[in-house]
PDB file of all heavy atoms in Angstrom:
ATOM      1  N   ALA A 825      49.862  66.363 138.220  1.00  0.00           N
ATOM      2  CA  ALA A 825      50.231  67.324 137.178  1.00  0.00           C
ATOM      3  C   ALA A 825      49.389  68.588 137.294  1.00  0.00           C
ATOM      4  O   ALA A 825      48.330  68.600 137.918  1.00  0.00           O
ATOM      5  CB  ALA A 825      50.006  66.692 135.796  1.00  0.00           C
ATOM      6  N   GLY A 826      49.892  69.632 136.640  1.00  0.00           N
ATOM      7  CA  GLY A 826      49.128  70.877 136.543  1.00  0.00           C
ATOM      8  C   GLY A 826      48.522  70.985 135.160  1.00  0.00           C
ATOM      9  O   GLY A 826      48.287  69.971 134.497  1.00  0.00           O
ATOM     10  N   GLY A 827      48.231  72.186 134.731  1.00  0.00           N
ATOM     11  CA  GLY A 827      47.625  72.404 133.423  1.00  0.00           C
ATOM     12  C   GLY A 827      46.118  72.322 133.472  1.00  0.00           C
ATOM     13  O   GLY A 827      45.503  72.248 134.549  1.00  0.00           O
ATOM     14  N   SER A 828      45.481  72.295 132.294  1.00  0.00           N
ATOM     15  CA  SER A 828      44.009  72.368 132.223  1.00  0.00           C
ATOM     16  C   SER A 828      43.349  70.990 132.125  1.00  0.00           C
ATOM     17  O   SER A 828      42.158  70.857 132.376  1.00  0.00           O
ATOM     18  CB  SER A 828      43.621  73.202 130.999  1.00  0.00           C
ATOM     19  OG  SER A 828      44.130  72.579 129.820  1.00  0.00           O
ATOM     20  N   THR A 829      44.103  69.960 131.762  1.00  0.00           N
ATOM     21  CA  THR A 829      43.462  68.643 131.559  1.00  0.00           C
ATOM     22  C   THR A 829      43.087  67.940 132.854  1.00  0.00           C
ATOM     23  O   THR A 829      41.993  67.384 132.961  1.00  0.00           O
ATOM     24  CB  THR A 829      44.389  67.741 130.712  1.00  0.00           C
ATOM     25  OG1 THR A 829      44.685  68.409 129.486  1.00  0.00           O
ATOM     26  CG2 THR A 829      43.732  66.410 130.411  1.00  0.00           C
ATOM     27  N   PRO A 830      43.974  67.907 133.868  1.00  0.00           N
ATOM     28  CA  PRO A 830      43.698  67.019 135.002  1.00  0.00           C
ATOM     29  C   PRO A 830      42.655  67.522 136.000  1.00  0.00           C
ATOM     30  O   PRO A 830      42.188  66.722 136.815  1.00  0.00           O
ATOM     31  CB  PRO A 830      45.056  66.864 135.680  1.00  0.00           C
ATOM     32  CG  PRO A 830      45.845  68.039 135.281  1.00  0.00           C
ATOM     33  CD  PRO A 830      45.327  68.492 133.950  1.00  0.00           C
ATOM     34  N   ASP A 854      55.233  69.206 139.071  1.00  0.00           N
ATOM     35  CA  ASP A 854      55.880  70.487 138.819  1.00  0.00           C
ATOM     36  C   ASP A 854      55.030  71.609 139.407  1.00  0.00           C
ATOM     37  O   ASP A 854      53.907  71.392 139.861  1.00  0.00           O
ATOM     38  CB  ASP A 854      56.119  70.714 137.324  1.00  0.00           C
ATOM     39  CG  ASP A 854      54.838  71.001 136.547  1.00  0.00           C
ATOM     40  OD1 ASP A 854      53.795  70.415 136.883  1.00  0.00           O
ATOM     41  OD2 ASP A 854      54.876  71.824 135.629  1.00  0.00           O
ATOM     42  N   ARG A 856      54.623  76.180 139.258  1.00  0.00           N
ATOM     43  CA  ARG A 856      55.071  77.506 138.836  1.00  0.00           C
ATOM     44  C   ARG A 856      55.622  78.187 140.073  1.00  0.00           C
ATOM     45  O   ARG A 856      55.167  77.967 141.200  1.00  0.00           O
ATOM     46  CB  ARG A 856      53.898  78.289 138.267  1.00  0.00           C
ATOM     47  CG  ARG A 856      53.352  77.708 136.949  1.00  0.00           C
ATOM     48  CD  ARG A 856      52.422  76.519 137.194  1.00  0.00           C
ATOM     49  NE  ARG A 856      51.947  75.891 135.974  1.00  0.00           N
ATOM     50  CZ  ARG A 856      50.908  76.345 135.246  1.00  0.00           C
ATOM     51  NH1 ARG A 856      50.295  77.441 135.625  1.00  0.00           N
ATOM     52  NH2 ARG A 856      50.526  75.717 134.150  1.00  0.00           N
ATOM     53  N   ASN A 866      49.797  75.381 140.566  1.00  0.00           N
ATOM     54  CA  ASN A 866      49.296  74.007 140.436  1.00  0.00           C
ATOM     55  C   ASN A 866      48.788  73.503 141.779  1.00  0.00           C
ATOM     56  O   ASN A 866      47.883  72.656 141.828  1.00  0.00           O
ATOM     57  CB  ASN A 866      50.387  73.073 139.897  1.00  0.00           C
ATOM     58  CG  ASN A 866      50.668  73.321 138.425  1.00  0.00           C
ATOM     59  OD1 ASN A 866      49.838  73.888 137.697  1.00  0.00           O
ATOM     60  ND2 ASN A 866      51.850  72.919 137.975  1.00  0.00           N
ATOM     61  N   GLY A 925      51.295  65.604 131.941  1.00  0.00           N
ATOM     62  CA  GLY A 925      50.561  66.035 130.756  1.00  0.00           C
ATOM     63  C   GLY A 925      51.555  66.223 129.621  1.00  0.00           C
ATOM     64  O   GLY A 925      52.742  65.910 129.756  1.00  0.00           O
ATOM     65  N   LEU A 926      51.071  66.697 128.493  1.00  0.00           N
ATOM     66  CA  LEU A 926      51.930  66.971 127.337  1.00  0.00           C
ATOM     67  C   LEU A 926      51.596  68.346 126.791  1.00  0.00           C
ATOM     68  O   LEU A 926      50.448  68.609 126.418  1.00  0.00           O
ATOM     69  CB  LEU A 926      51.713  65.904 126.246  1.00  0.00           C
ATOM     70  CG  LEU A 926      52.453  66.148 124.926  1.00  0.00           C
ATOM     71  CD1 LEU A 926      53.969  66.045 125.113  1.00  0.00           C
ATOM     72  CD2 LEU A 926      51.969  65.144 123.862  1.00  0.00           C
ATOM     73  N   GLY A 927      52.602  69.212 126.771  1.00  0.00           N
ATOM     74  CA  GLY A 927      52.379  70.518 126.153  1.00  0.00           C
ATOM     75  C   GLY A 927      52.484  70.407 124.638  1.00  0.00           C
ATOM     76  O   GLY A 927      53.052  69.440 124.109  1.00  0.00           O
ATOM     77  N   HIS A 931      56.727  69.532 125.927  1.00  0.00           N
ATOM     78  CA  HIS A 931      57.171  69.516 127.332  1.00  0.00           C
ATOM     79  C   HIS A 931      56.256  68.629 128.165  1.00  0.00           C
ATOM     80  O   HIS A 931      55.091  68.394 127.823  1.00  0.00           O
ATOM     81  CB  HIS A 931      57.260  70.940 127.905  1.00  0.00           C
ATOM     82  CG  HIS A 931      55.971  71.508 128.393  1.00  0.00           C
ATOM     83  ND1 HIS A 931      55.201  72.376 127.648  1.00  0.00           N
ATOM     84  CD2 HIS A 931      55.317  71.356 129.566  1.00  0.00           C
ATOM     85  CE1 HIS A 931      54.145  72.743 128.337  1.00  0.00           C
ATOM     86  NE2 HIS A 931      54.189  72.120 129.510  1.00  0.00           N
ATOM     87  N   THR A 932      56.817  68.189 129.284  1.00  0.00           N
ATOM     88  CA  THR A 932      56.027  67.478 130.276  1.00  0.00           C
ATOM     89  C   THR A 932      56.528  67.890 131.651  1.00  0.00           C
ATOM     90  O   THR A 932      57.695  68.274 131.775  1.00  0.00           O
ATOM     91  CB  THR A 932      56.115  65.950 130.094  1.00  0.00           C
ATOM     92  OG1 THR A 932      55.105  65.305 130.888  1.00  0.00           O
ATOM     93  CG2 THR A 932      57.487  65.414 130.453  1.00  0.00           C
ATOM     94  N   ALA A 933      55.671  67.853 132.656  1.00  0.00           N
ATOM     95  CA  ALA A 933      55.970  68.507 133.927  1.00  0.00           C
ATOM     96  C   ALA A 933      56.457  69.913 133.565  1.00  0.00           C
ATOM     97  O   ALA A 933      55.811  70.593 132.763  1.00  0.00           O
ATOM     98  CB  ALA A 933      56.979  67.694 134.744  1.00  0.00           C
ATOM     99  N   ARG A 961      60.297  77.774 136.981  1.00  0.00           N
ATOM    100  CA  ARG A 961      59.432  76.649 137.275  1.00  0.00           C
ATOM    101  C   ARG A 961      60.181  75.659 138.153  1.00  0.00           C
ATOM    102  O   ARG A 961      61.415  75.576 138.094  1.00  0.00           O
ATOM    103  CB  ARG A 961      59.017  75.911 135.984  1.00  0.00           C
ATOM    104  CG  ARG A 961      58.088  76.672 135.036  1.00  0.00           C
ATOM    105  CD  ARG A 961      56.665  76.642 135.537  1.00  0.00           C
ATOM    106  NE  ARG A 961      55.672  77.138 134.581  1.00  0.00           N
ATOM    107  CZ  ARG A 961      54.970  76.365 133.759  1.00  0.00           C
ATOM    108  NH1 ARG A 961      55.196  75.060 133.755  1.00  0.00           N
ATOM    109  NH2 ARG A 961      54.056  76.866 132.966  1.00  0.00           N
ATOM    110  N   LYS A 984      46.961  68.888 120.279  1.00  0.00           N
ATOM    111  CA  LYS A 984      48.127  68.065 120.642  1.00  0.00           C
ATOM    112  C   LYS A 984      48.406  67.002 119.576  1.00  0.00           C
ATOM    113  O   LYS A 984      49.380  66.236 119.708  1.00  0.00           O
ATOM    114  CB  LYS A 984      47.852  67.372 121.981  1.00  0.00           C
ATOM    115  CG  LYS A 984      47.484  68.308 123.131  1.00  0.00           C
ATOM    116  CD  LYS A 984      48.674  69.149 123.555  1.00  0.00           C
ATOM    117  CE  LYS A 984      48.291  70.145 124.628  1.00  0.00           C
ATOM    118  NZ  LYS A 984      47.950  69.518 125.934  1.00  0.00           N
TER     119      LYS A 984
HETATM  120  C1  6PG B1041      51.947  72.676 134.040  1.00  0.00           C
HETATM  121  C2  6PG B1041      51.848  71.220 133.726  1.00  0.00           C
HETATM  122  C3  6PG B1041      52.248  70.984 132.302  1.00  0.00           C
HETATM  123  C4  6PG B1041      51.011  70.444 131.622  1.00  0.00           C
HETATM  124  C5  6PG B1041      51.116  70.544 130.129  1.00  0.00           C
HETATM  125  C6  6PG B1041      49.772  70.168 129.485  1.00  0.00           C
HETATM  126  O1  6PG B1041      52.374  73.052 135.126  1.00  0.00           O
HETATM  127  O2  6PG B1041      51.480  73.428 133.157  1.00  0.00           O
HETATM  128  O3  6PG B1041      52.400  70.403 134.607  1.00  0.00           O
HETATM  129  O4  6PG B1041      53.315  70.099 132.118  1.00  0.00           O
HETATM  130  O5  6PG B1041      50.804  69.096 132.023  1.00  0.00           O
HETATM  131  O6  6PG B1041      51.443  71.878 129.797  1.00  0.00           O
HETATM  132  O7  6PG B1041      48.843  71.113 129.921  1.00  0.00           O
HETATM  133  P1  6PG B1041      47.279  70.987 129.508  1.00  0.00           P
HETATM  134  O8  6PG B1041      46.728  69.921 130.388  1.00  0.00           O
HETATM  135  O9  6PG B1041      46.723  72.355 129.846  1.00  0.00           O
HETATM  136  O10 6PG B1041      47.226  70.657 128.062  1.00  0.00           O
END
Side-chain angles (χ1 to χ4, degrees):
S828 60
T829 304
D854 72 324
R856 293 81 183 278
N866 288 339
L926 174 66
H931 83 261
T932 193
R961 292 282 190 95
K984 305 291 176 68

